[in-house]
Amino acid sequence: MAYALGSEPRGAAPPVAELKIVVAGGFGVGKTTMVASVSEIDPLMTEEVLTYAGRNIDDLTGVAEKTTTTVAMDFGRITFDEPPRPMILFLFGTPGQERFWFAWPDLSYGAVGAVVLADTRRLEDSFAAVSYFEQLKTPFVVAVNEFDNACRYPPTEVRQALGLGPEVPVLTCDVRDRTSAMTVLIRLVEHSLRHRHLTYGALA
């Protein structure tokens, strides 16, 4: 039986919170890599090989070495056992190419928050995900995935370039590194819970 926050029997361990998180962003920005690097289970991947036939559709600028693309979703899971609230995060990675954006509503349904990954070499590819979650009023953070050959910019410049408000956290990360990727997820959960408290607390 699940208990509301603060209503657990005295001495009982708090129930585990199960949260859905979306990992979004442009094509080749590192969504699949992030899900795979943090997942405690074998991640579900729906990757297909990029073909010569798609050369006029798939813009490989900055990611010429990329050979596969997500066509439906990525899925992973990570558990945080630390108090005060143990959590299980279910991670859903979205496809980045425009022709697969029809999957975004289903993947985003019920999510408490989203990570929008950004690549400074192709920053304009982040606008679609940013606009989408702004319209849904879903809390999100922007995490700049620092590729080895990409220019480094301070979060303030990234915020300005994307037209983000001061309430949106902007972070830097290396999604290949599990600790770095986990830090982004923790920051998102904190931001989402703060947003929900401010929104629903004002209505109480």
Side-chain angles (χ1 to χ4, degrees), residues 14-99:
V16 176
E18 297 183 347
L19 307 177
K20 179 179 181 179
I21 301 294
V22 176
V23 181
F27 173 60
V29 78
K31 301 179 295 295
T32 298
T33 301
M34 181 176 187
V35 172
S37 69
V38 301
S39 181
E40 63 196 14
I41 62 173
D42 290 335
L44 170 66
M45 308 293 185
T46 59
E47 290 205 308
E48 295 293 339
V49 176
L50 291 169
T51 64
Y52 181 76
R55 67 191 184 281
N56 294 323
I57 301 175
D58 302 320
D59 180 7
L60 297 179
T61 304
V63 288
E65 72 284 356
K66 187 171 177 60
T67 59
T68 60
T69 185
T70 299
V71 298
M73 59 173 280
D74 303 311
F75 175 76
R77 185 189 72 198
I78 181 172
T79 300
F80 292 95
D81 294 322
E82 294 81 2
R85 176 65 55 179
M87 294 181 296
I88 298 176
L89 304 186
F90 297 103
L91 309 176
F92 290 79
T94 67
Q97 294 164 287
E98 185 174 356
R99 63 182 182 274

Side-chain angles (χ1 to χ4, degrees), residues 54-170:
R55 67 191 184 281
N56 294 323
I57 301 175
D58 302 320
D59 180 7
L60 297 179
T61 304
V63 288
E65 72 284 356
K66 187 171 177 60
T67 59
T68 60
T69 185
T70 299
V71 298
M73 59 173 280
D74 303 311
F75 175 76
R77 185 189 72 198
I78 181 172
T79 300
F80 292 95
D81 294 322
E82 294 81 2
R85 176 65 55 179
M87 294 181 296
I88 298 176
L89 304 186
F90 297 103
L91 309 176
F92 290 79
T94 67
Q97 294 164 287
E98 185 174 356
R99 63 182 182 274
F100 300 125
W101 287 357
F102 65 85
W104 286 17
D106 287 336
L107 294 176
S108 302
Y109 181 78
V112 300
V115 175
V116 176
L117 287 176
D119 179 354
T120 57
R121 300 168 302 178
R122 301 153 59 100
L123 198 58
E124 66 278 4
D125 291 354
S126 305
F127 282 113
V130 167
S131 297
Y132 182 75
F133 292 113
E134 284 180 339
Q135 291 173 10
L136 286 182
K137 300 188 183 306
T138 298
F140 67 94
V141 302
V142 170
V144 178
N145 188 15
E146 295 190 320
F147 288 86
D148 293 336
N149 59 341
C151 294
R152 303 289 192 260
Y153 297 96
T156 52
E157 290 190 24
V158 175
R159 179 187 306 280
Q160 183 177 12
L162 291 175
L164 300 172
E167 74 283 355
V168 178
V170 179

